[in-house]
Amino acid sequence: MFSVSLPLYPLYAVDLVGAILMILISFACLEKAFYLLRHHPDHLLFVYLFGLSLSFTAFALSRSMGHVVRFILGWSGHPHLWFVLAPFSGALNTVFILLAAFLTFVFPRAHQTFRLLEEETQQLKETKEALEKAHEHLQQLYRTLEEKVEERTRELALSEQKFRRLFEAAGDAIFFCDQEGRLLDINPAGVQLLGFTRKEELLGRSLGEFFACRGEWNRYREFLCAEGQVTNFETLLLTSHGEERYVVITANAIEYLQGCHLGWQGIMKDLTRFREMTERMIYSEKMAALGQLAAGVAHEINTPLGIILGYTQLLKENQEEREELQLIEDQVRVCQRLISDLLIFSRPSPQAEQPVDLKEIVRQVLEMVQPTYRKEGIEINLHVSDSPVIRGDPDRLRQVVLNLLSNARDALQGGGAIHIWIYRLRRGGAVLEVGDTGPGIPEEIREKIFEPFFTTKPPGQGTGLGLFVTFGLVKEHGGEIEVFSPPAEERYLRLGIRTLFRIIFPEGNHVSG
């Protein structure tokens, strides 16, 4: 098969050397392709080059080894064996060439697919980056919002703290109600105004429970729901102890929509003391005007009464109709006593002020009236816990005590008991109290008993000036007089007291001229 003639040796040598060089070159290309693939594993071109180099290397090994084996078998004297191996060598060469061709054919499509994937990947990457930026922006907004929420929370907490301090420290009652008028919250001033000690005792109760008049409560609700607010609504409240409180309410509906759906909020101002002072001022002015009128009337009547009395006494000495003249004289003297009482109140004469033991004044009056009162079945009890000294006119103070005892005596028709208390207040001031076990004073006339000429006695049995003069004498000494019928304290009720007059004199006060 192989010719050993000299001219063929160069061809065999070139064939053998070429085969070896092809192996070396293919391995060099494979190593370079592997290097590129290792540093750029995601690059499709380098994957293709590595696969192509691998195919060509396999082809070079298969073809070159086939040539080498053929030469070895030829030189060793077994050329027939090559005819057995040649088909296998050719088949391998064909497979490796086809593999290289397949890779070359597939690469453009794979490259296009990879490029599409790369573009989509780039879009996904850009979308991811946009999402990351949006996420970062949202985080920044969240942090900013969180800071603003914290700032607003601090401001709200500070505002609530200021409102709570104002709410708790306000001198007027501040309240919040639901749509049914039930109290949801009320400040300490409101709790005290309604006669309670703890706010929890009030919460859930209707504000209408404390209105003295149910009609006023209905009018208040109707006006508030119709207008959405009410300003300076004057009404009378009853505390938990039954005490009356004259208040002015200013309120408005919370979220006013078709009839107070959410509730009300408002302020109640207690004007009880202001009203009492106003009434006292009006009463004092009325008494002063009446006093001036009484002084004028007394002056005008006193002179003709004196003349009538004088001529009546002369006629009694010369006439036989002494009974009729005696009746005229008695009625004239009644008129003179009436005028004397009016003059005591309307034109007090200057008196020398002096220290007066209040207990001694009462004792002197009791010595004078007690025998008569006992005959009428009236018991007088004196309770003295102290002996306060005031400054004033003893005669006029005795007149005050006598008038109060006479008033109690008139109330005890058929017998009963009179109690007198004398004591000193802790805050200063002497107290004189006169109470009786009579029927009491009806509420409808309680405000009129100190008015002049007001009396419940039958005509001809009273002038209606006793308590009126007493009021004036007490005021003259700088004192205050009150009436309770019945008194609220248990210690009076146990004794059966139905009417109690309480006079408070300032200790060491100077009598007004």
Side-chain angles (χ1 to χ4, degrees):
M1 175 181 175
F2 293 96
S3 177
V4 293
S5 59
L6 184 60
L8 296 178
Y9 283 125
L11 294 176
Y12 297 146
V14 170
D15 189 15
L16 181 60
V17 172
I20 294 173
L21 288 176
M22 186 167 59
I23 293 173
L24 293 177
I25 292 172
S26 62
F27 270 101
C29 291
L30 180 63
E31 191 274 335
K32 184 63 176 179
F34 180 73
Y35 173 82
L36 293 173
L37 180 62
R38 187 178 61 184
H39 287 82
H40 304 281
D42 296 331
H43 204 292
L44 183 61
L45 177 62
F46 295 148
V47 174
Y48 164 71
L49 292 176
F50 177 74
L52 189 64
S53 300
L54 187 63
S55 299
F56 277 118
T57 301
F59 172 75
L61 285 173
S62 174
R63 183 177 180 283
S64 298
M65 290 301 297
H67 282 260
V68 172
V69 170
R70 187 183 62 173
F71 280 116
I72 292 174
L73 291 176
W75 286 105
S76 64
H78 299 88
H80 59 280
L81 293 177
W82 171 248
F83 292 102
V84 178
L85 296 175
F88 294 100
S89 176
L92 287 176
N93 292 338
T94 303
V95 169
F96 293 136
I97 289 296
L98 289 175
L99 181 61
F102 175 77
L103 290 176
T104 303
F105 175 77
V106 170
F107 172 73
R109 301 185 182 277
H111 178 68
Q112 183 179 5
T113 303
F114 181 79
R115 187 174 61 188
L116 292 175
L117 290 175
E118 192 175 39
E119 290 177 355
E120 292 180 359
T121 303
Q122 183 64 27
Q123 291 179 356
L124 290 175
K125 185 177 179 181
E126 291 175 355
T127 304
K128 179 183 176 183
E129 291 176 353
L131 289 174
E132 288 178 350
K133 290 181 180 179
H135 178 67
E136 184 179 356
H137 182 64
L138 287 175
Q139 284 186 329
Q140 182 64 30
L141 286 177
Y142 175 76
R143 286 192 294 268
T144 304
L145 181 61
E146 196 174 38
E147 291 174 358
K148 289 183 178 180
V149 168
E150 291 179 357
E151 182 180 356
R152 295 295 184 271
T153 303
R154 287 193 299 269
E155 292 176 356
L156 286 174
L158 182 60
S159 177
E160 182 182 3
Q161 187 178 8
K162 290 179 180 178
F163 168 76
R164 179 57 59 178
R165 285 200 299 265
L166 177 63
F167 178 77
E168 297 290 341
D172 296 329
I174 303 175
F175 63 92
F176 295 88
C177 297
D178 62 11
Q179 64 271 26
E180 298 299 327
R182 291 184 292 265
L183 289 168
L184 300 176
D185 198 2
I186 189 169
N187 66 340
V191 175
Q192 184 179 3
L193 173 64
L194 297 177
F196 291 86
T197 56
R198 295 186 305 109
K199 177 169 65 175
E200 289 72 19
E201 298 173 322
L202 274 169
L203 299 184
R205 299 181 62 171
S206 173
L207 183 62
E209 296 180 21
F210 303 99
F211 274 64
C213 177
R214 189 67 184 179
E216 287 288 300
W217 167 248
N218 294 332
R219 189 166 67 89
Y220 168 78
R221 286 193 61 183
E222 290 173 3
F223 189 80
L224 183 60
C225 291
E227 301 296 331
Q229 63 180 4
V230 62
T231 304
N232 296 332
F233 184 88
E234 301 180 11
T235 189
L236 194 65
L237 300 183
L238 292 178
T239 69
S240 60
H241 307 300
E243 298 177 357
E244 294 182 349
R245 288 288 183 269
Y246 182 77
V247 299
V248 173
I249 304 177
T250 297
N252 64 283
I254 303 174
E255 295 295 329
Y256 171 63
L257 290 174
Q258 298 180 354
C260 312
H261 281 291
L262 295 182
W264 311 330
Q265 58 188 5
I267 299 176
M268 288 189 295
K269 190 173 186 64
D270 185 6
L271 297 181
T272 305
R273 291 183 61 84
F274 176 78
R275 190 183 187 190
E276 290 175 354
M277 291 175 61
T278 303
E279 290 178 350
R280 288 180 182 179
M281 185 179 299
I282 295 172
Y283 186 78
S284 297
E285 292 177 355
K286 182 171 68 173
M287 292 299 103
L290 288 173
Q292 293 177 359
L293 176 62
V297 172
H299 177 73
E300 295 297 329
I301 295 178
N302 205 24
T303 300
L305 283 178
I307 296 173
I308 293 172
L309 181 61
Y311 278 100
T312 301
Q313 291 172 345
L314 288 175
L315 288 173
K316 284 175 64 178
E317 295 176 358
N318 301 318
Q319 299 293 332
E320 295 180 358
E321 294 84 357
R322 294 181 179 272
E323 292 183 3
E324 289 79 1
L325 293 174
Q326 183 63 45
L327 180 60
I328 293 174
E329 182 180 354
D330 291 341
Q331 293 304 314
V332 169
R333 293 193 184 279
V334 170
C335 291
Q336 285 183 328
R337 285 197 301 272
L338 175 61
I339 292 170
S340 177
D341 288 342
L342 286 173
L343 289 175
I344 289 175
F345 176 77
S346 63
R347 195 172 56 200
S349 57
Q351 298 290 334
E353 61 180 40
Q354 63 184 69
V356 178
D357 187 338
L358 195 56
K359 182 182 71 173
E360 183 62 23
I361 292 294
V362 174
R363 187 188 63 78
Q364 293 172 4
V365 175
L366 290 181
E367 287 179 355
M368 180 175 61
V369 302
Q370 207 158 23
T372 303
Y373 282 36
R374 283 176 180 171
K375 290 180 181 180
E376 297 177 0
I378 298 174
E379 178 186 356
I380 301 178
N381 301 281
L382 180 61
H383 311 275
V384 180
S385 60
D386 205 339
S387 184
V389 176
I390 64 175
R391 297 186 69 85
D393 181 359
D395 292 334
R396 297 189 180 190
L397 291 173
R398 278 191 287 269
Q399 184 69 40
V400 168
V401 178
L402 182 60
N403 287 351
L404 291 178
L405 290 176
S406 297
N407 187 75
R409 174 190 178 185
D410 293 337
L412 295 174
Q413 297 296 330
I418 299 175
H419 292 266
I420 304 174
W421 287 270
I422 300 174
Y423 57 93
R424 179 184 283 111
L425 293 175
R426 291 182 179 179
R427 64 177 185 269
V431 180
L432 170 65
E433 294 177 338
V434 177
D436 64 73
T437 59
I441 303 174
E443 183 178 356
E444 59 270 14
I445 66 172
R446 199 177 303 158
E447 300 295 330
K448 302 178 181 180
I449 61 174
F450 293 113
E451 294 183 1
F453 306 112
F454 177 81
T455 180
T456 58
K457 298 176 184 178
Q461 296 186 18
T463 63
L465 288 175
L467 292 178
F468 174 67
V469 171
T470 301
F471 181 87
L473 294 176
V474 170
K475 290 294 183 180
E476 180 183 336
H477 285 78
E480 296 288 339
I481 182 170
E482 294 179 288
V483 61
F484 305 93
S485 183
E489 292 87 341
E490 183 65 27
R491 63 190 181 101
Y492 302 115
L493 298 177
R494 283 198 301 266
L495 296 173
I497 301 297
R498 300 295 300 167
T499 302
L500 179 75
F501 285 88
R502 178 179 295 155
I503 302 175
I504 302 176
F505 293 108
E507 289 186 282
N509 188 65
H510 293 269
V511 180
S512 60

